[in-house]
Amino acid sequence: KLPSCQTTASAQHGCPSVKKTMGKDFAARHAVYVGAAVVLKLICGADDCVWLSPFLAKARGAAAKAKVAAKYVTTVVLITCIAAGLALGIRRIAAPAERRADEGIGTAAGVLLVLYALYTAREDGWFPCCPPDDEDDEEEEASKDPYIEFWEKFGKNIKLGIIEDSANRSKLTKLLRYKSSTSGEGYTSFEQYVENMKDWQKAIYYIAGENVEAVENSPFLEKCKAKGVEVLYMVDPIDEYAIQHVTEFDGKKLQSVTKEGLKFGDEDEALEAKRTKLYKETFKPLTDYLKELYGDAVVKVSISKRVETTPTIIVTSQYGNSANMERIMRAQAFSEKQSMGMMMSQKTMELNPRHPIINELLTKVKDEKTDEDTENLAWLLLDNALMQSGFQPADVDAFAQRALKIIQSGLALESSDLLPEMEVPDDPEEEEDEEDEAEAEQRRRAAEAEAARERRQRLAAEAEAKAAEERRQRLAAEAQAAEAERKLRAAEAAAEEKKRREAAKAAEEKRQREAAAAAAAERARAELRAVRDDAARRERARAAAKAAEAERRRRAEAKVAEERRQRLAAEAQAAEAEWKLRAAERRAAAAEAAADEEERARNSARLRREAEALWAEEDRQRRQREAAEAAENQRKAEIRENQRKAITRGVAALVTGGLSELYYQNK
């Protein structure tokens, strides 16, 4: 019945008899149509091939409805067709010579049809092993998160909303996305971070820097990477401002790894306390020596628990500005040196007690072998820690001089004085017959070179002695100048502290705007929560101590109990002193933040005024456009009215003329 499908109707809808026999809308059976047609074509030859196209079209249409079944069935059928084609080819080879010419045309046509069917099936996606080329691109485009594209374009606006919109701050916080130490090229949210936190982790750790490469190589991440803790990368300048308004998320506090007070929570507190105490006692001579040497460059020198391979590092106070924040403020167009001095954070130098450089310095300090080279090494350690932590050396020229001295010491140079100018030798004799005079001239030059070398050695020795005497005098003068400078700095610090208190008081009196009041209320609530958490933690600690004390009181003697109570009283006094110190730091941080808030309020007011001016200009232009449109509409209405009147007059004239003509005709 296949030849009956050559008609137009059957070519469009397939062969009715075969369709009725095989069933409807089933992709596998339509794929069988293709296989049967190809096999029959191989048998029948190359004539009347028009009837084959409806079967291929029908198979593709059915495959679109049931693509899954068609993939595997069509694969099997097409493999069968290929096998049939190979069989016919072998049959042709084995056939007699007079029949090869007749069968060759049918075999070639069959092979071409099989190749066409394979290509069509692949383009329709029938083969699971060979998807079309466009399918990979579609999967790649579908796998990309559309929110990431939105975040890359409008992430800064969301961060600005966190700063200004306190009512919706908790909702906007969930929309934040950051790269992290474990996210690779992707982004992570606070919710994903909390889900991936360690069981013992109690805080969300982050680090702020200039770019991802800088923060990835930061020494602050050494301990975090060793513990497998995820750290968020905040590399956008606005992150430093936005994170000040987000103190916690889902009950987890945000902790910067570049500031003091870094704790992980997986340590044995008792063991860590003993180890820290032992380190402090062991390295006390070195920390005292470095603090005295550095002076006001650092607030204190302590033992670090956050580095692995770095010898030294610089951290800032809990409520002070980070190194990245100082870099951002220094890059401001209207920044001033005086205001920058007030914004500078208090720096603490932390030493790695396991590093060989630190231990060698400790040995020199204990043995009292500190000389100029040791001081240069100590200053280089500070400069290196400043640069690795993101700060800039205070005195770049002094840093360069110290580096040159270390190079000179490494090359074992006795003096850095310049050598004498090289002597230019005379031109040699050109006459070949005066060999004796040439030898005499050579001996004379050798003697002059020897005398010059002895003269250089003598000059070098004299210069070295002179340099040593000048160095001793310079050291004495520098010591006197350092003492005078220390006193001057103390006086300047006192005056600066008084000026800072007056400025803070004036800023407090001027702070009347609603935004500043809201920010102050937010900080007050954060401080209140911190105080409550601290009080609750201390209450739990006191309760545990009381329980332990009660148990020991029942088992110990009266004298041991009395000594224990005295020790507890001393610890309470120390805790009270620490609490007072932290309260003073919080008040200083609040004063600094008030100045920042006032500056932001002024910038916001200026931006609002500019926006209102733009809106007024747009409103004026809109009113002008509306007036012009109204005038144009009125002009068009007048034109239409005039046209209507002219048409009416014309029609009236025509009617009047016609009636007059009829009247005269009738008359």
Side-chain angles (χ1 to χ4, degrees):
K1 298 181 180 180
L2 288 176
S4 64
C5 297
Q6 296 179 6
T7 62
T8 305
S10 61
Q12 292 177 355
H13 303 289
C15 186
S17 58
V18 178
K19 184 175 183 181
K20 183 177 180 181
T21 304
M22 301 299 291
K24 298 180 180 180
D25 298 331
F26 192 71
R29 294 183 180 178
H30 285 288
V32 175
Y33 290 173
V34 179
V38 173
V39 172
L40 291 174
K41 184 61 188 174
L42 292 175
I43 296 173
C44 298
D47 299 330
D48 299 330
C49 61
V50 179
W51 58 271
L52 189 59
S53 58
F55 293 99
L56 295 175
K58 190 65 180 178
R60 287 196 297 270
K65 299 178 181 178
K67 196 171 184 179
V68 177
K71 285 181 180 179
Y72 301 100
V73 176
T74 305
T75 304
V76 174
V77 172
L78 291 177
I79 291 175
T80 305
C81 294
I82 294 173
L86 293 176
L88 289 176
I90 296 172
R91 177 184 172 186
R92 176 181 175 277
I93 295 173
E98 60 274 8
R99 295 180 56 188
R100 289 181 183 176
D102 298 334
E103 294 182 357
I105 299 175
T107 304
V111 172
L112 291 176
L113 288 173
V114 170
L115 294 177
Y116 173 73
L118 287 172
Y119 174 76
T120 306
R122 178 183 179 274
E123 289 298 318
D124 289 343
W126 289 6
F127 296 152
C129 59
C130 302
D133 297 336
D134 298 337
E135 195 170 305
D136 297 336
D137 299 337
E138 292 176 358
E139 291 179 358
E140 184 177 357
E141 292 178 359
S143 63
K144 190 173 182 180
D145 189 359
Y147 181 73
I148 297 303
E149 297 180 0
F150 170 81
W151 171 257
E152 291 175 351
K153 293 181 180 179
F154 302 102
K156 288 184 173 63
N157 301 80
I158 296 177
K159 295 172 184 177
L160 284 173
I162 288 178
I163 296 173
E164 298 182 356
D165 191 358
S166 58
N168 298 312
R169 186 170 295 156
S170 59
K171 298 179 182 178
L172 294 175
T173 304
K174 297 180 181 180
L175 302 178
L176 295 176
R177 296 294 184 272
Y178 297 103
K179 292 188 177 182
S180 68
S181 57
T182 59
S183 65
E185 296 296 330
Y187 291 85
T188 184
S189 62
F190 282 121
E191 294 178 348
Q192 294 173 346
Y193 186 97
V194 173
E195 290 177 0
N196 299 331
M197 284 175 60
K198 304 289 185 182
D199 296 336
W200 42 263
Q201 191 173 346
K202 298 179 182 179
I204 299 174
Y205 302 106
Y206 70 91
I207 181 173
E210 186 174 1
N211 49 51
V212 176
E213 291 76 11
V215 296
E216 279 183 346
N217 300 323
S218 175
F220 291 103
L221 300 183
E222 292 178 359
K223 183 68 72 174
C224 297
K225 291 180 179 178
K227 293 180 177 290
V229 175
E230 185 178 9
V231 181
L232 299 178
Y233 296 160
M234 298 187 180
V235 295
D236 197 348
I238 197 174
D239 289 334
E240 285 282 359
Y241 298 96
I243 204 64
Q244 297 177 6
H245 299 272
V246 183
T247 57
E248 63 178 23
F249 180 82
D250 197 11
K252 308 292 184 181
K253 292 185 177 180
L254 271 70
Q255 173 66 49
S256 175
V257 298
T258 63
K259 294 186 177 182
E260 292 180 339
L262 179 62
K263 294 181 180 179
F264 293 100
D266 62 335
E267 307 95 345
D268 186 354
E269 294 184 0
L271 180 62
E272 287 295 326
K274 292 180 181 178
R275 183 181 288 116
T276 302
K277 183 178 179 181
L278 183 60
Y279 275 137
K280 286 182 179 179
E281 293 176 355
T282 304
F283 287 87
K284 190 176 186 305
L286 180 59
T287 55
D288 294 343
Y289 169 76
L290 293 178
K291 180 63 181 77
E292 182 180 358
L293 178 65
Y294 296 151
D296 296 335
V298 295
V299 176
K300 62 180 178 179
V301 181
S302 61
I303 303 300
S304 178
K305 296 187 292 185
R306 70 179 79 205
V307 290
E308 291 286 334
T309 59
T310 305
T312 55
I313 204 170
I314 299 295
V315 300
T316 57
S317 60
Q318 184 67 28
Y319 300 99
N321 293 326
S322 62
N324 188 54
M325 190 65 178
E326 287 189 8
R327 180 184 63 81
I328 293 172
M329 293 191 307
R330 193 178 291 109
Q332 298 294 330
F334 298 100
S335 61
E336 298 179 358
K337 293 184 178 180
Q338 296 180 355
S339 59
M340 282 299 301
M342 297 176 62
M343 296 295 180
M344 295 291 285
S345 58
Q346 296 180 350
K347 300 177 181 63
T348 299
M349 184 178 186
E350 293 187 356
L351 307 178
N352 186 357
R354 300 171 54 193
H355 202 279
I357 294 178
I358 304 301
N359 285 272
E360 184 65 24
L361 277 178
L362 176 63
T363 303
K364 287 181 174 292
V365 172
K366 284 184 176 180
D367 297 341
E368 297 182 355
K369 294 181 179 179
T370 57
D371 52 4
E372 185 180 1
D373 293 338
T374 305
E375 291 182 0
N376 289 332
L377 288 173
W379 279 106
L380 278 177
L381 274 180
L382 176 61
D383 295 333
N384 180 70
L386 286 171
M387 289 186 292
Q388 280 191 314
S389 303
F391 295 96
Q392 292 184 356
D395 191 350
V396 180
D397 294 334
F399 169 70
Q401 293 296 327
R402 285 191 289 269
L404 290 176
K405 289 182 180 179
I406 295 299
I407 295 173
Q408 179 181 348
S409 176
L411 295 175
L413 296 178
E414 297 179 355
S415 175
S416 60
D417 295 336
L418 299 177
L419 298 178
E421 292 285 351
M422 295 183 62
E423 295 183 0
V424 179
D426 297 333
D427 295 334
E429 296 289 340
E430 297 180 358
E431 297 181 0
E432 297 178 356
D433 57 343
E434 296 181 356
E435 296 179 355
D436 295 335
E437 293 182 2
E439 291 177 358
E441 183 68 21
Q442 186 176 3
R443 287 194 299 270
R444 184 180 63 79
R445 289 178 181 176
E448 290 178 356
E450 183 67 18
R453 186 179 62 81
E454 292 176 356
R455 184 168 61 255
R456 283 196 299 271
Q457 291 179 353
R458 185 173 65 257
L459 291 175
E462 293 175 357
E464 184 178 0
K466 183 178 179 181
E469 181 64 25
E470 290 177 355
R471 186 163 56 251
R472 285 194 296 270
Q473 295 177 0
R474 186 173 64 254
L475 288 175
E478 287 177 355
Q480 294 177 359
E483 182 65 22
E485 185 178 359
R486 186 182 64 81
K487 293 180 179 179
L488 179 60
R489 286 184 179 178
E492 290 177 352
E496 193 70 18
E497 182 66 23
K498 182 178 179 181
K499 186 186 298 181
R500 188 181 298 112
R501 286 197 298 268
E502 292 175 355
K505 183 177 179 181
E508 185 67 24
E509 292 174 353
K510 291 181 180 178
R511 191 175 51 175
Q512 298 295 334
R513 294 182 180 84
E514 183 179 356
E522 185 68 19
R523 287 194 298 274
R525 285 194 294 271
E527 291 179 359
L528 181 59
R529 286 195 297 270
V531 170
R532 287 177 179 173
D533 294 343
D534 194 15
R537 185 169 62 255
R538 292 183 180 178
E539 186 65 26
R540 290 193 297 269
R542 283 197 295 269
K546 287 181 181 179
E549 184 64 20
E551 184 65 23
R552 285 192 293 271
R553 191 182 301 112
R554 287 192 299 269
R555 296 180 181 180
E557 296 178 356
K559 183 177 178 180
V560 176
E562 183 64 25
E563 292 176 355
R564 179 60 180 170
R565 284 193 296 273
Q566 292 176 358
R567 186 165 61 254
L568 289 175
E571 290 176 356
Q573 292 177 359
E576 183 69 19
E578 183 179 0
W579 180 86
K580 290 180 179 179
L581 178 59
R582 291 183 178 177
E585 290 180 354
R586 285 195 295 272
R587 287 194 295 272
E592 294 177 358
D596 293 342
E597 191 64 28
E598 183 182 359
E599 181 65 20
R600 287 195 293 272
R602 286 198 297 269
N603 292 336
S604 299
R606 179 177 57 79
L607 292 176
R608 289 194 191 96
R609 289 194 298 271
E610 292 177 357
E612 289 174 356
L614 290 175
W615 293 338
E617 179 64 20
E618 291 179 357
D619 189 44
R620 185 182 63 78
Q621 294 177 0
R622 180 179 58 79
R623 287 196 299 270
Q624 290 179 356
R625 288 194 300 271
E626 290 176 353
E629 291 176 357
E632 182 66 19
N633 293 333
Q634 185 177 1
R635 188 181 63 80
K636 291 180 179 180
E638 291 177 355
I639 292 173
R640 286 195 296 270
E641 182 65 23
N642 294 332
Q643 291 176 354
R644 185 184 63 80
K645 290 179 179 180
I647 292 172
T648 303
R649 287 193 297 270
V651 171
L654 289 175
V655 172
T656 304
L659 291 175
S660 300
E661 186 178 356
L662 289 175
Y663 171 76
Y664 286 115
Q665 287 178 1
N666 292 333
K667 187 176 181 180

